[in-house]
Amino acid sequence: MPNRFRWNSADNAFRSSGSIVWFTIAAALLLLVVNPLWQLFSISFSDPTSGGWTLENYIEAFSRARYLRAFLNSLMLGIIVAALCVAFGVPIAWAVSRTDMPAKGIVRTLVLAAFITPPFLGATSWILLAGPNAGWLNRAYIALTGAETGIFNIYSLTGLAFVIALYSFPYVFVFTSAALDVVSSEMEDAANIMGANRWRTTFKVTLPLVLPAILSAVIITFLEAVSIISSTIMVALPARINLIPLQLYQFFGYPLRLEVAAAYAMPLLLVTIGLFALQKVLLGRKGYVTMTGKGGERRPIELGLYKWLALGYSLLVLSLAVILPYMVLLQAALSKAWARGIGTDNLTLVNFRYLLFENAHAPRSILNTFVYSAASATIAVGLALAIAYIVSRKLLPFANVLSVAALTPFVIPGLVLAIGFYAAYAPPPFALAGTGAILILAFTTRFLPVAYANTSAAIGGVNRELEDAVRILGGSRFLAIRRVMTPLLKKSLMGAWLLVFIISAREVSTALFLYGPDTRTMSVLFFDLTEGGRFEQLCALGIILLLTVLVFVIAGQLLIGRDFMLRRGR
């Protein structure tokens, strides 16, 4: 059958069943986003024996001081991390976006490196750098000063906050720099004319204009800190600091107490809702209507000699996040024993050979990682494109609700979503526990907002007259999407696919709660190696993951643009 005839047949079939397709897509979105949250809420009130409603799960979850202490510790951790991220990210974003600081390309590249570095890899490198007994920095300090002990201890709440902040501050950088890039210099000129100097203008005019973006990033980094499980297991567990992710992980152990875990996770959702409500109140009172979208002139602020101070601060932060950690990771991956230091007699490739050819699980976990990530990225981009199209063309009466649903997973902690997915899809009739399907669906849902934000912005930039022309000539919406929209959105869709793929490949929280014996991913294998204290092999695994992700980042830069991962919503 000729291809053209097949396409026309499909087009006619779609024309007659268009509404059914839109409703099916909307149902799929609700099944992915709303159903897990409803199941989480429902099961938190469910008696595990009789199935009836009960409050016993909440009583058990919050009746012990140890459990409550975990909540307080996590809230404190979130506050410290958010403050550190602002201290790291806002000055660098301002320097890159608004000043004549040199080497901006290098700074952006290093921020991108920090962004793609999995937090568990960062935690590993800082254990090697600042472990209380054998960390590189402590050994150097002891050698230089003759002291008996080092001064750094990564196994503390402060150390954990520092490590998390180093790999979360790119959120602040991305949000803030994107907002600063659209602030016209005319507003700063007006302040200068009124007598304000450079610094007063920056603190009284420029930064307040981007306060909404900074607040959004603060909320995201706070939620990231209170729900991150990878760094928590590696740093807080040895330090005997109980936190929410550790407590939830224990509820998920043997015997499984899913109902108690659901009850324990519910306050995280309340905290999330409370933070966004507080943000709305704060910004609503101030009336931030500042960025009109008119493309005013933007000139870099001349810092004079201070530009070197700005560059020095940027490189200091990024050396802590990227340069030092990468050095120690590479040294450990190529060592027989990392504690013996650098030397030709300590160099070896045996760690890579073990992972690629001798370990029973490593090749399978590497394959699983990329298959699941690719499938999740494909489904997420396809679903996001369909939802964005429905919303932009208002094809359903509740189209705006779909937009909210597509963005909701962005503010749900990964742990909470993982438990909701287990509650919704592990039992019959779905019975997806331990399968690759539940991981793919969970990754898709977790990162759907990333794909949706990209595709909805791209669709908004397509002139509807092009689509109308197809329909006037007798084509259906399906033909217009296939022949007009998709080619025009090709780069945006590719960018969204790469973004979802990359962050899915490094996802831990979802994988650690949902994997089965045959569906380990690299992040899960990483923790298997951690339990045995085999830092050389887990560093080698981290290098493999980083190199693979780097290949996709370079491909994205070549196909889409140099800053496709860092310039959001432009």
Side-chain angles (χ1 to χ4, degrees), residues 301-347:
I301 300 171
E302 296 182 0
L303 293 179
L305 293 177
Y306 286 112
K307 65 184 179 184
W308 300 109
L309 182 62
L311 178 61
Y313 179 77
S314 301
L315 293 180
L316 172 64
V317 172
L318 292 166
S319 66
L320 297 175
V322 179
I323 299 174
L324 273 177
Y326 278 31
M327 287 172 59
V328 75
L329 281 175
L330 190 61
Q331 184 269 334
L334 294 173
S335 297
K336 297 173 184 173
W338 72 270
R340 288 169 54 186
I342 302 173
T344 53
D345 61 331
N346 196 29
L347 282 175

mmCIF file of all heavy atoms in Angstrom, residues 301-347:
data_model
loop_
_atom_site.group_PDB
_atom_site.id
_atom_site.type_symbol
_atom_site.label_atom_id
_atom_site.label_comp_id
_atom_site.label_asym_id
_atom_site.label_seq_id
_atom_site.Cartn_x
_atom_site.Cartn_y
_atom_site.Cartn_z
ATOM 1 N N ILE A 301 27.255 45.601 32.913
ATOM 2 C CA ILE A 301 27.771 46.568 33.888
ATOM 3 C C ILE A 301 29.283 46.426 33.959
ATOM 4 O O ILE A 301 29.798 45.316 34.117
ATOM 5 C CB ILE A 301 27.144 46.310 35.269
ATOM 6 C CG1 ILE A 301 25.625 46.460 35.192
ATOM 7 C CG2 ILE A 301 27.725 47.234 36.314
ATOM 8 C CD1 ILE A 301 24.910 46.007 36.453
ATOM 9 N N GLU A 302 29.995 47.528 33.838
ATOM 10 C CA GLU A 302 31.462 47.491 33.901
ATOM 11 C C GLU A 302 31.906 47.490 35.358
ATOM 12 O O GLU A 302 31.634 48.429 36.109
ATOM 13 C CB GLU A 302 32.047 48.679 33.150
ATOM 14 C CG GLU A 302 31.723 48.652 31.656
ATOM 15 C CD GLU A 302 32.347 49.823 30.909
ATOM 16 O OE1 GLU A 302 33.020 50.634 31.584
ATOM 17 O OE2 GLU A 302 32.158 49.916 29.691
ATOM 18 N N LEU A 303 32.584 46.424 35.758
ATOM 19 C CA LEU A 303 32.975 46.253 37.165
ATOM 20 C C LEU A 303 34.380 46.756 37.464
ATOM 21 O O LEU A 303 34.775 46.804 38.632
ATOM 22 C CB LEU A 303 32.894 44.766 37.544
ATOM 23 C CG LEU A 303 31.506 44.140 37.576
ATOM 24 C CD1 LEU A 303 31.602 42.670 37.948
ATOM 25 C CD2 LEU A 303 30.591 44.868 38.541
ATOM 26 N N GLY A 304 35.153 47.089 36.432
ATOM 27 C CA GLY A 304 36.543 47.477 36.678
ATOM 28 C C GLY A 304 37.333 46.300 37.222
ATOM 29 O O GLY A 304 37.181 45.155 36.780
ATOM 30 N N LEU A 305 38.127 46.570 38.252
ATOM 31 C CA LEU A 305 38.929 45.485 38.834
ATOM 32 C C LEU A 305 38.072 44.451 39.568
ATOM 33 O O LEU A 305 38.501 43.321 39.797
ATOM 34 C CB LEU A 305 39.970 46.078 39.800
ATOM 35 C CG LEU A 305 41.069 46.924 39.152
ATOM 36 C CD1 LEU A 305 41.984 47.510 40.215
ATOM 37 C CD2 LEU A 305 41.882 46.083 38.160
ATOM 38 N N TYR A 306 36.856 44.845 39.932
ATOM 39 C CA TYR A 306 35.981 43.907 40.640
ATOM 40 C C TYR A 306 35.589 42.712 39.766
ATOM 41 O O TYR A 306 35.118 41.702 40.262
ATOM 42 C CB TYR A 306 34.720 44.617 41.134
ATOM 43 C CG TYR A 306 34.975 45.515 42.324
ATOM 44 C CD1 TYR A 306 34.874 46.896 42.200
ATOM 45 C CD2 TYR A 306 35.299 44.980 43.560
ATOM 46 C CE1 TYR A 306 35.094 47.730 43.286
ATOM 47 C CE2 TYR A 306 35.524 45.804 44.653
ATOM 48 C CZ TYR A 306 35.423 47.183 44.505
ATOM 49 O OH TYR A 306 35.647 47.988 45.581
ATOM 50 N N LYS A 307 35.765 42.861 38.438
ATOM 51 C CA LYS A 307 35.392 41.736 37.568
ATOM 52 C C LYS A 307 36.277 40.517 37.846
ATOM 53 O O LYS A 307 35.837 39.374 37.691
ATOM 54 C CB LYS A 307 35.492 42.139 36.097
ATOM 55 C CG LYS A 307 36.896 42.456 35.602
ATOM 56 C CD LYS A 307 36.858 42.929 34.164
ATOM 57 C CE LYS A 307 38.267 43.285 33.667
ATOM 58 N NZ LYS A 307 38.235 43.833 32.296
ATOM 59 N N TRP A 308 37.517 40.759 38.286
ATOM 60 C CA TRP A 308 38.387 39.636 38.624
ATOM 61 C C TRP A 308 37.959 38.998 39.943
ATOM 62 O O TRP A 308 38.102 37.788 40.142
ATOM 63 C CB TRP A 308 39.844 40.088 38.694
ATOM 64 C CG TRP A 308 40.306 40.661 37.387
ATOM 65 C CD1 TRP A 308 40.570 41.962 37.098
ATOM 66 C CD2 TRP A 308 40.513 39.922 36.167
ATOM 67 N NE1 TRP A 308 40.920 42.102 35.780
ATOM 68 C CE2 TRP A 308 40.908 40.865 35.188
ATOM 69 C CE3 TRP A 308 40.404 38.591 35.810
ATOM 70 C CZ2 TRP A 308 41.192 40.505 33.882
ATOM 71 C CZ3 TRP A 308 40.692 38.221 34.519
ATOM 72 C CH2 TRP A 308 41.076 39.160 33.566
ATOM 73 N N LEU A 309 37.458 39.835 40.849
ATOM 74 C CA LEU A 309 36.919 39.289 42.104
ATOM 75 C C LEU A 309 35.700 38.416 41.811
ATOM 76 O O LEU A 309 35.538 37.328 42.392
ATOM 77 C CB LEU A 309 36.537 40.437 43.041
ATOM 78 C CG LEU A 309 35.998 40.030 44.421
ATOM 79 C CD1 LEU A 309 37.059 39.259 45.202
ATOM 80 C CD2 LEU A 309 35.540 41.262 45.200
ATOM 81 N N ALA A 310 34.837 38.876 40.891
ATOM 82 C CA ALA A 310 33.656 38.092 40.521
ATOM 83 C C ALA A 310 34.069 36.772 39.883
ATOM 84 O O ALA A 310 33.498 35.712 40.187
ATOM 85 C CB ALA A 310 32.782 38.892 39.558
ATOM 86 N N LEU A 311 35.081 36.832 39.005
ATOM 87 C CA LEU A 311 35.547 35.597 38.366
ATOM 88 C C LEU A 311 36.164 34.649 39.398
ATOM 89 O O LEU A 311 35.931 33.436 39.366
ATOM 90 C CB LEU A 311 36.575 35.931 37.281
ATOM 91 C CG LEU A 311 37.186 34.727 36.559
ATOM 92 C CD1 LEU A 311 36.114 33.915 35.839
ATOM 93 C CD2 LEU A 311 38.262 35.178 35.568
ATOM 94 N N GLY A 312 36.923 35.210 40.336
ATOM 95 C CA GLY A 312 37.542 34.378 41.366
ATOM 96 C C GLY A 312 36.501 33.671 42.219
ATOM 97 O O GLY A 312 36.643 32.482 42.533
ATOM 98 N N TYR A 313 35.444 34.408 42.601
ATOM 99 C CA TYR A 313 34.389 33.774 43.409
ATOM 100 C C TYR A 313 33.698 32.667 42.620
ATOM 101 O O TYR A 313 33.446 31.577 43.143
ATOM 102 C CB TYR A 313 33.367 34.821 43.846
ATOM 103 C CG TYR A 313 32.239 34.227 44.671
ATOM 104 C CD1 TYR A 313 32.434 33.906 46.004
ATOM 105 C CD2 TYR A 313 30.993 33.974 44.104
ATOM 106 C CE1 TYR A 313 31.429 33.344 46.762
ATOM 107 C CE2 TYR A 313 29.977 33.408 44.848
ATOM 108 C CZ TYR A 313 30.203 33.101 46.181
ATOM 109 O OH TYR A 313 29.194 32.532 46.930
ATOM 110 N N SER A 314 33.406 32.950 41.349
ATOM 111 C CA SER A 314 32.731 31.944 40.514
ATOM 112 C C SER A 314 33.579 30.682 40.399
ATOM 113 O O SER A 314 33.077 29.558 40.549
ATOM 114 C CB SER A 314 32.442 32.516 39.123
ATOM 115 O OG SER A 314 31.635 33.656 39.208
ATOM 116 N N LEU A 315 34.863 30.864 40.135
ATOM 117 C CA LEU A 315 35.744 29.702 39.969
ATOM 118 C C LEU A 315 35.952 28.964 41.292
ATOM 119 O O LEU A 315 36.136 27.745 41.303
ATOM 120 C CB LEU A 315 37.082 30.142 39.380
ATOM 121 C CG LEU A 315 37.017 30.652 37.936
ATOM 122 C CD1 LEU A 315 38.414 31.069 37.450
ATOM 123 C CD2 LEU A 315 36.425 29.596 37.006
ATOM 124 N N LEU A 316 35.930 29.700 42.414
ATOM 125 C CA LEU A 316 36.063 29.050 43.723
ATOM 126 C C LEU A 316 34.885 28.097 43.954
ATOM 127 O O LEU A 316 35.075 26.929 44.324
ATOM 128 C CB LEU A 316 36.107 30.101 44.827
ATOM 129 C CG LEU A 316 36.056 29.550 46.264
ATOM 130 C CD1 LEU A 316 37.301 28.694 46.554
ATOM 131 C CD2 LEU A 316 35.928 30.674 47.284
ATOM 132 N N VAL A 317 33.670 28.603 43.735
ATOM 133 C CA VAL A 317 32.486 27.766 43.938
ATOM 134 C C VAL A 317 32.511 26.570 42.989
ATOM 135 O O VAL A 317 32.260 25.419 43.385
ATOM 136 C CB VAL A 317 31.201 28.599 43.730
ATOM 137 C CG1 VAL A 317 29.967 27.693 43.754
ATOM 138 C CG2 VAL A 317 31.082 29.669 44.794
ATOM 139 N N LEU A 318 32.848 26.836 41.723
ATOM 140 C CA LEU A 318 32.803 25.765 40.730
ATOM 141 C C LEU A 318 33.948 24.774 40.884
ATOM 142 O O LEU A 318 33.814 23.612 40.503
ATOM 143 C CB LEU A 318 32.802 26.384 39.329
ATOM 144 C CG LEU A 318 31.500 27.152 39.034
ATOM 145 C CD1 LEU A 318 31.633 28.023 37.812
ATOM 146 C CD2 LEU A 318 30.340 26.174 38.874
ATOM 147 N N SER A 319 35.047 25.216 41.448
ATOM 148 C CA SER A 319 36.120 24.253 41.731
ATOM 149 C C SER A 319 35.698 23.296 42.843
ATOM 150 O O SER A 319 36.059 22.116 42.835
ATOM 151 C CB SER A 319 37.409 24.981 42.113
ATOM 152 O OG SER A 319 37.235 25.662 43.346
ATOM 153 N N LEU A 320 34.911 23.804 43.808
ATOM 154 C CA LEU A 320 34.407 22.935 44.877
ATOM 155 C C LEU A 320 33.362 21.953 44.350
ATOM 156 O O LEU A 320 33.246 20.833 44.836
ATOM 157 C CB LEU A 320 33.795 23.776 46.003
ATOM 158 C CG LEU A 320 34.749 24.708 46.743
ATOM 159 C CD1 LEU A 320 33.989 25.564 47.754
ATOM 160 C CD2 LEU A 320 35.844 23.924 47.446
ATOM 161 N N ALA A 321 32.604 22.388 43.340
ATOM 162 C CA ALA A 321 31.539 21.533 42.808
ATOM 163 C C ALA A 321 32.022 20.600 41.709
ATOM 164 O O ALA A 321 31.483 19.500 41.556
ATOM 165 C CB ALA A 321 30.403 22.409 42.268
ATOM 166 N N VAL A 322 33.029 21.022 40.951
ATOM 167 C CA VAL A 322 33.404 20.260 39.760
ATOM 168 C C VAL A 322 34.876 19.864 39.743
ATOM 169 O O VAL A 322 35.214 18.665 39.648
ATOM 170 C CB VAL A 322 33.071 21.078 38.485
ATOM 171 C CG1 VAL A 322 33.484 20.308 37.235
ATOM 172 C CG2 VAL A 322 31.583 21.409 38.441
ATOM 173 N N ILE A 323 35.762 20.841 39.813
ATOM 174 C CA ILE A 323 37.170 20.563 39.538
ATOM 175 C C ILE A 323 37.774 19.607 40.567
ATOM 176 O O ILE A 323 38.309 18.544 40.215
ATOM 177 C CB ILE A 323 37.968 21.888 39.477
ATOM 178 C CG1 ILE A 323 37.423 22.759 38.340
ATOM 179 C CG2 ILE A 323 39.453 21.605 39.261
ATOM 180 C CD1 ILE A 323 38.026 24.144 38.279
ATOM 181 N N LEU A 324 37.693 19.956 41.846
ATOM 182 C CA LEU A 324 38.235 19.061 42.883
ATOM 183 C C LEU A 324 37.544 17.695 42.892
ATOM 184 O O LEU A 324 38.223 16.653 42.905
ATOM 185 C CB LEU A 324 38.115 19.725 44.254
ATOM 186 C CG LEU A 324 39.252 20.656 44.690
ATOM 187 C CD1 LEU A 324 38.922 21.288 46.036
ATOM 188 C CD2 LEU A 324 40.559 19.896 44.772
ATOM 189 N N PRO A 325 36.204 17.655 42.885
ATOM 190 C CA PRO A 325 35.540 16.338 42.877
ATOM 191 C C PRO A 325 35.907 15.483 41.671
ATOM 192 O O PRO A 325 36.120 14.276 41.810
ATOM 193 C CB PRO A 325 34.054 16.706 42.871
ATOM 194 C CG PRO A 325 33.996 18.033 43.530
ATOM 195 C CD PRO A 325 35.235 18.740 43.090
ATOM 196 N N TYR A 326 35.986 16.076 40.490
ATOM 197 C CA TYR A 326 36.315 15.286 39.308
ATOM 198 C C TYR A 326 37.744 14.743 39.398
ATOM 199 O O TYR A 326 38.025 13.610 38.973
ATOM 200 C CB TYR A 326 36.156 16.128 38.036
ATOM 201 C CG TYR A 326 34.729 16.215 37.529
ATOM 202 C CD1 TYR A 326 33.650 16.171 38.407
ATOM 203 C CD2 TYR A 326 34.453 16.337 36.177
ATOM 204 C CE1 TYR A 326 32.345 16.253 37.954
ATOM 205 C CE2 TYR A 326 33.137 16.419 35.703
ATOM 206 C CZ TYR A 326 32.092 16.381 36.612
ATOM 207 O OH TYR A 326 30.791 16.457 36.157
ATOM 208 N N MET A 327 38.646 15.529 39.933
ATOM 209 C CA MET A 327 40.029 15.076 40.079
ATOM 210 C C MET A 327 40.107 13.853 40.990
ATOM 211 O O MET A 327 40.772 12.859 40.673
ATOM 212 C CB MET A 327 40.899 16.215 40.634
ATOM 213 C CG MET A 327 41.198 17.328 39.651
ATOM 214 S SD MET A 327 42.019 18.741 40.440
ATOM 215 C CE MET A 327 43.490 17.936 41.089
ATOM 216 N N VAL A 328 39.427 13.929 42.126
ATOM 217 C CA VAL A 328 39.517 12.825 43.076
ATOM 218 C C VAL A 328 38.764 11.596 42.569
ATOM 219 O O VAL A 328 39.172 10.454 42.823
ATOM 220 C CB VAL A 328 39.014 13.277 44.470
ATOM 221 C CG1 VAL A 328 37.501 13.396 44.507
ATOM 222 C CG2 VAL A 328 39.479 12.319 45.549
ATOM 223 N N LEU A 329 37.678 11.816 41.821
ATOM 224 C CA LEU A 329 36.954 10.683 41.239
ATOM 225 C C LEU A 329 37.825 9.935 40.233
ATOM 226 O O LEU A 329 37.891 8.697 40.238
ATOM 227 C CB LEU A 329 35.684 11.168 40.543
ATOM 228 C CG LEU A 329 34.468 11.486 41.416
ATOM 229 C CD1 LEU A 329 33.343 12.064 40.565
ATOM 230 C CD2 LEU A 329 33.989 10.247 42.147
ATOM 231 N N LEU A 330 38.498 10.704 39.383
ATOM 232 C CA LEU A 330 39.344 10.080 38.367
ATOM 233 C C LEU A 330 40.519 9.350 39.017
ATOM 234 O O LEU A 330 40.869 8.230 38.616
ATOM 235 C CB LEU A 330 39.853 11.151 37.401
ATOM 236 C CG LEU A 330 40.564 10.647 36.145
ATOM 237 C CD1 LEU A 330 39.619 9.781 35.321
ATOM 238 C CD2 LEU A 330 41.067 11.815 35.297
ATOM 239 N N GLN A 331 41.098 9.979 40.047
ATOM 240 C CA GLN A 331 42.216 9.334 40.742
ATOM 241 C C GLN A 331 41.790 8.022 41.386
ATOM 242 O O GLN A 331 42.481 6.998 41.283
ATOM 243 C CB GLN A 331 42.783 10.289 41.805
ATOM 244 C CG GLN A 331 43.997 9.781 42.541
ATOM 245 C CD GLN A 331 43.639 9.016 43.818
ATOM 246 O OE1 GLN A 331 42.594 9.246 44.409
ATOM 247 N NE2 GLN A 331 44.519 8.102 44.220
ATOM 248 N N ALA A 332 40.617 8.033 42.023
ATOM 249 C CA ALA A 332 40.154 6.811 42.683
ATOM 250 C C ALA A 332 39.788 5.735 41.664
ATOM 251 O O ALA A 332 40.077 4.549 41.876
ATOM 252 C CB ALA A 332 38.941 7.130 43.570
ATOM 253 N N ALA A 333 39.164 6.152 40.545
ATOM 254 C CA ALA A 333 38.751 5.169 39.535
ATOM 255 C C ALA A 333 39.951 4.479 38.898
ATOM 256 O O ALA A 333 39.854 3.323 38.477
ATOM 257 C CB ALA A 333 37.904 5.854 38.465
ATOM 258 N N LEU A 334 41.082 5.166 38.838
ATOM 259 C CA LEU A 334 42.276 4.607 38.188
ATOM 260 C C LEU A 334 43.272 4.038 39.199
ATOM 261 O O LEU A 334 44.430 3.787 38.859
ATOM 262 C CB LEU A 334 42.970 5.691 37.347
ATOM 263 C CG LEU A 334 42.174 6.197 36.141
ATOM 264 C CD1 LEU A 334 42.887 7.379 35.485
ATOM 265 C CD2 LEU A 334 41.961 5.075 35.125
ATOM 266 N N SER A 335 42.837 3.839 40.437
ATOM 267 C CA SER A 335 43.751 3.388 41.484
ATOM 268 C C SER A 335 43.435 1.961 41.933
ATOM 269 O O SER A 335 42.274 1.539 41.923
ATOM 270 C CB SER A 335 43.662 4.311 42.709
ATOM 271 O OG SER A 335 44.072 5.615 42.382
ATOM 272 N N LYS A 336 44.497 1.253 42.344
ATOM 273 C CA LYS A 336 44.282 -0.030 43.005
ATOM 274 C C LYS A 336 43.673 0.200 44.381
ATOM 275 O O LYS A 336 42.803 -0.566 44.824
ATOM 276 C CB LYS A 336 45.608 -0.767 43.121
ATOM 277 C CG LYS A 336 46.233 -1.114 41.771
ATOM 278 C CD LYS A 336 47.629 -1.696 41.953
ATOM 279 C CE LYS A 336 48.298 -1.961 40.603
ATOM 280 N NZ LYS A 336 49.717 -2.378 40.744
ATOM 281 N N ALA A 337 44.179 1.225 45.069
ATOM 282 C CA ALA A 337 43.633 1.626 46.367
ATOM 283 C C ALA A 337 43.759 3.144 46.441
ATOM 284 O O ALA A 337 44.870 3.668 46.427
ATOM 285 C CB ALA A 337 44.390 0.966 47.514
ATOM 286 N N TRP A 338 42.626 3.840 46.496
ATOM 287 C CA TRP A 338 42.665 5.308 46.364
ATOM 288 C C TRP A 338 43.444 5.970 47.491
ATOM 289 O O TRP A 338 44.069 7.011 47.287
ATOM 290 C CB TRP A 338 41.243 5.872 46.302
ATOM 291 C CG TRP A 338 40.495 5.820 47.610
ATOM 292 C CD1 TRP A 338 39.716 4.822 48.059
ATOM 293 C CD2 TRP A 338 40.487 6.829 48.626
ATOM 294 N NE1 TRP A 338 39.207 5.126 49.293
ATOM 295 C CE2 TRP A 338 39.662 6.352 49.662
ATOM 296 C CE3 TRP A 338 41.083 8.084 48.762
ATOM 297 C CZ2 TRP A 338 39.417 7.089 50.816
ATOM 298 C CZ3 TRP A 338 40.847 8.825 49.916
ATOM 299 C CH2 TRP A 338 40.026 8.329 50.929
ATOM 300 N N ALA A 339 43.446 5.351 48.673
ATOM 301 C CA ALA A 339 44.125 5.961 49.820
ATOM 302 C C ALA A 339 45.649 5.981 49.658
ATOM 303 O O ALA A 339 46.338 6.728 50.353
ATOM 304 C CB ALA A 339 43.749 5.220 51.102
ATOM 305 N N ARG A 340 46.176 5.163 48.737
ATOM 306 C CA ARG A 340 47.629 5.163 48.527
ATOM 307 C C ARG A 340 48.097 6.367 47.735
ATOM 308 O O ARG A 340 49.305 6.587 47.579
ATOM 309 C CB ARG A 340 48.043 3.870 47.796
ATOM 310 C CG ARG A 340 47.956 2.629 48.678
ATOM 311 C CD ARG A 340 48.095 1.358 47.878
ATOM 312 N NE ARG A 340 49.299 1.331 47.059
ATOM 313 C CZ ARG A 340 49.580 0.365 46.183
ATOM 314 N NH1 ARG A 340 48.718 -0.648 46.032
ATOM 315 N NH2 ARG A 340 50.676 0.401 45.480
ATOM 316 N N GLY A 341 47.176 7.154 47.196
ATOM 317 C CA GLY A 341 47.548 8.381 46.507
ATOM 318 C C GLY A 341 47.927 8.145 45.062
ATOM 319 O O GLY A 341 47.714 7.071 44.493
ATOM 320 N N ILE A 342 48.537 9.180 44.452
ATOM 321 C CA ILE A 342 48.879 9.126 43.038
ATOM 322 C C ILE A 342 50.278 8.545 42.878
ATOM 323 O O ILE A 342 51.226 8.982 43.514
ATOM 324 C CB ILE A 342 48.819 10.535 42.420
ATOM 325 C CG1 ILE A 342 47.414 11.133 42.601
ATOM 326 C CG2 ILE A 342 49.206 10.501 40.947
ATOM 327 C CD1 ILE A 342 47.311 12.569 42.184
ATOM 328 N N GLY A 343 50.388 7.568 41.999
ATOM 329 C CA GLY A 343 51.690 6.951 41.736
ATOM 330 C C GLY A 343 51.551 5.938 40.632
ATOM 331 O O GLY A 343 50.490 5.322 40.468
ATOM 332 N N THR A 344 52.615 5.743 39.864
ATOM 333 C CA THR A 344 52.521 4.804 38.734
ATOM 334 C C THR A 344 52.265 3.379 39.218
ATOM 335 O O THR A 344 51.633 2.591 38.513
ATOM 336 C CB THR A 344 53.818 4.848 37.907
ATOM 337 O OG1 THR A 344 54.936 4.626 38.796
ATOM 338 C CG2 THR A 344 53.985 6.193 37.225
ATOM 339 N N ASP A 345 52.772 3.028 40.422
ATOM 340 C CA ASP A 345 52.541 1.684 40.926
ATOM 341 C C ASP A 345 51.121 1.473 41.423
ATOM 342 O O ASP A 345 50.736 0.354 41.757
ATOM 343 C CB ASP A 345 53.532 1.387 42.062
ATOM 344 C CG ASP A 345 53.344 2.364 43.220
ATOM 345 O OD1 ASP A 345 52.905 3.513 42.970
ATOM 346 O OD2 ASP A 345 53.631 1.982 44.370
ATOM 347 N N ASN A 346 50.350 2.587 41.481
ATOM 348 C CA ASN A 346 48.960 2.490 41.961
ATOM 349 C C ASN A 346 47.951 2.613 40.826
ATOM 350 O O ASN A 346 46.758 2.539 41.052
ATOM 351 C CB ASN A 346 48.706 3.585 43.012
ATOM 352 C CG ASN A 346 47.442 3.326 43.825
ATOM 353 O OD1 ASN A 346 47.063 2.165 44.020
ATOM 354 N ND2 ASN A 346 46.799 4.382 44.265
ATOM 355 N N LEU A 347 48.456 2.851 39.605
ATOM 356 C CA LEU A 347 47.547 3.037 38.473
ATOM 357 C C LEU A 347 47.047 1.683 37.945
ATOM 358 O O LEU A 347 47.811 0.726 37.850
ATOM 359 C CB LEU A 347 48.247 3.786 37.340
ATOM 360 C CG LEU A 347 48.402 5.296 37.502
ATOM 361 C CD1 LEU A 347 49.216 5.863 36.356
ATOM 362 C CD2 LEU A 347 47.045 5.975 37.600
#
